Amino acid sequence: MTPQDLLAAAAVRTAAHRMLADADAGRLGHWRLDRDRLPAVADRIAAVTRAAYPDLAVPFHARWRHFEAGGRDRWAEASARAGFPDARARARSAFDLAIVSVLLDAGSGGAWSWREPGSGAVWRSSEGLGLASFAMMASGALSHVPGEPFRADAVRLKRVEAPALERAFQVAPDNPLAGVAGRVHLLRRLGEAAEARPDLFAIADDPRPGGLADVVAARAAAGEIPAPAILELVLEALGPIWPSRLVLDGVPLGDAWAYPRWQRGAALSPEAVVPFHKLSQWLTYSLIEPTEAMGLRVTGVGGLTGLAEYRNGGLLVDDGALVLRDPAEAEAVHEVGSPLVVEWRAMTVALLDLVHPMVADRLGVELADFPLARMLEGGSWAAGRAAARERRADGGPPIRIASDGTTF
């Protein structure tokens, strides 16, 4: 295996199922697997899905769902007003919006909320982060072209300051947002990456994240592009933006972490690295709809994996499928790269694969018609939120993570 091999959805799934085999053999350092609890997890996901989507017409898990919070399709309204000259121009803006918004989507912390101007509605967690980032884009804060607010130009991204982000997200002493500095750093690095790779970000316009829409179109064959190929483009394009992460043989690995139990010898090898690419996969799911709006067909969506984050992972802990060997560890704060968190995240990916066919069976749908992306939306993420609210007053995760605003 080479470091480059880790930059793929297949590598995420392979490592996750290797961790699952270790769990079945009782070799995990921090967790015990109770397979007998998986049917109950599937029951909860199926019930939540049927309640949210009685007709079972479940869309893909994507950032666009948060822009529709409260039953209002804000992107449809904004794009209709924008008067884009063609589908490709609209796609560039949609890519800009999705990329910026997903990069700002790491956990908010339990105390933050955002009040929507006009409606006065108060939103928290992912809905709040999504709508706050949407409003920031709609204000033209990241565009350098007058009259075109829905742009995120490299020249503006490079100059983002923390006070501007705090204003956009209504941050105050009594409304703290976790990881502001990390989010600002990501946006600045995104601008730098866009300027550094005009072949990826500036084929038909000034350097901007949305320039990836042109690359997706160019890499499509016969009007089709596989979802894992979009992920590989995202990992190639955005790999340099992640802070303080592993680099092997000059390859930045993004959301991938050393796992000492798999290490053989003194030097870190690719076989001892567990990749997740959570934000990159979340972004890839979120780029499917704007890609298809260009007239392309996205295939192979099942090649992507479940998302290794605290709602999906928290569901497995809260419903008893994953049990800490030492319950006292639930009281500590854990770093993202700690073995406990790496094991938890890898088991989340693997167990979502196991639960997926159970959920489809309970819903009475064919697995081919109900890909993992629909279960995540229907689904496992919302079930994880519901389980957390049942057990903790703040609805937070069962494992406390020291977030820098760039992972969860």
Side-chain angles (χ1 to χ4, degrees), residues 160-254:
V160 171
E161 300 286 347
L165 188 70
E166 290 173 340
R167 285 193 299 273
F169 283 69
Q170 301 173 359
V171 177
D174 61 349
N175 191 37
L177 175 66
V180 167
R183 297 171 207 266
V184 169
H185 183 73
L186 275 186
L187 293 186
R188 290 179 177 171
R189 292 291 296 270
L190 176 62
E192 293 167 1
E195 280 201 341
R197 291 291 304 269
D199 58 315
L200 295 180
F201 294 100
I203 292 177
D205 200 345
D206 293 336
R208 56 189 289 195
L212 291 182
D214 296 299
V215 181
V216 167
R219 294 187 180 182
E224 296 183 350
I225 185 167
I230 299 177
L231 173 63
E232 289 170 18
L233 170 61
V234 167
L235 291 172
E236 175 189 0
L238 303 187
I241 77 173
W242 304 109
S244 305
R245 299 284 175 80
L246 287 180
V247 177
L248 281 183
D249 296 340
V251 178
L253 298 179

Side-chain angles (χ1 to χ4, degrees), residues 116-138:
E116 187 171 20
S119 73
V122 176
W123 302 97
R124 303 178 185 277
S125 191
S126 287
E127 290 87 351
L129 292 168
L131 293 178
S133 59
F134 185 95
M136 184 180 186
M137 289 281 293

Side-chain angles (χ1 to χ4, degrees), residues 75 78 84 93 96-97 134 137-138 140 143 148-152 208:
W75 170 242
F84 295 114
S93 285
D96 277 339
L97 173 60
F134 185 95
M137 289 281 293
S143 171
E148 295 186 23
F150 276 98
R151 294 178 61 101
R208 56 189 289 195

Side-chain angles (χ1 to χ4, degrees), residues 168-327:
F169 283 69
Q170 301 173 359
V171 177
D174 61 349
N175 191 37
L177 175 66
V180 167
R183 297 171 207 266
V184 169
H185 183 73
L186 275 186
L187 293 186
R188 290 179 177 171
R189 292 291 296 270
L190 176 62
E192 293 167 1
E195 280 201 341
R197 291 291 304 269
D199 58 315
L200 295 180
F201 294 100
I203 292 177
D205 200 345
D206 293 336
R208 56 189 289 195
L212 291 182
D214 296 299
V215 181
V216 167
R219 294 187 180 182
E224 296 183 350
I225 185 167
I230 299 177
L231 173 63
E232 289 170 18
L233 170 61
V234 167
L235 291 172
E236 175 189 0
L238 303 187
I241 77 173
W242 304 109
S244 305
R245 299 284 175 80
L246 287 180
V247 177
L248 281 183
D249 296 340
V251 178
L253 298 179
D255 183 13
W257 306 87
Y259 184 55
R261 295 176 67 86
W262 289 351
Q263 182 64 40
R264 298 292 182 268
L268 181 64
S269 66
E271 289 76 13
V273 174
V274 184
F276 300 108
H277 308 309
K278 179 260 178 175
L279 281 177
S280 296
Q281 291 206 78
W282 171 227
L283 175 55
T284 301
Y285 282 126
S286 299
L287 295 181
I288 291 173
E289 288 166 58
T291 295
E292 293 188 332
M294 286 193 287
L296 301 175
R297 179 169 177 261
V298 178
T299 61
V301 177
L304 302 178
T305 77
L307 301 180
E309 48 78 53
Y310 68 81
R311 289 302 185 202
N312 288 309
L315 171 65
L316 296 164
V317 176
D318 283 334
D319 278 0
L322 285 176
V323 181
L324 283 169
R325 292 188 179 278
D326 179 2

Side-chain angles (χ1 to χ4, degrees), residues 64-74 77 116 123 131:
W64 305 100
R65 308 290 80 77
H66 296 141
F67 301 148
E68 299 164 358
R72 176 185 163 202
D73 191 338
R74 295 162 182 80
E77 296 171 5
E116 187 171 20
W123 302 97
L131 293 178

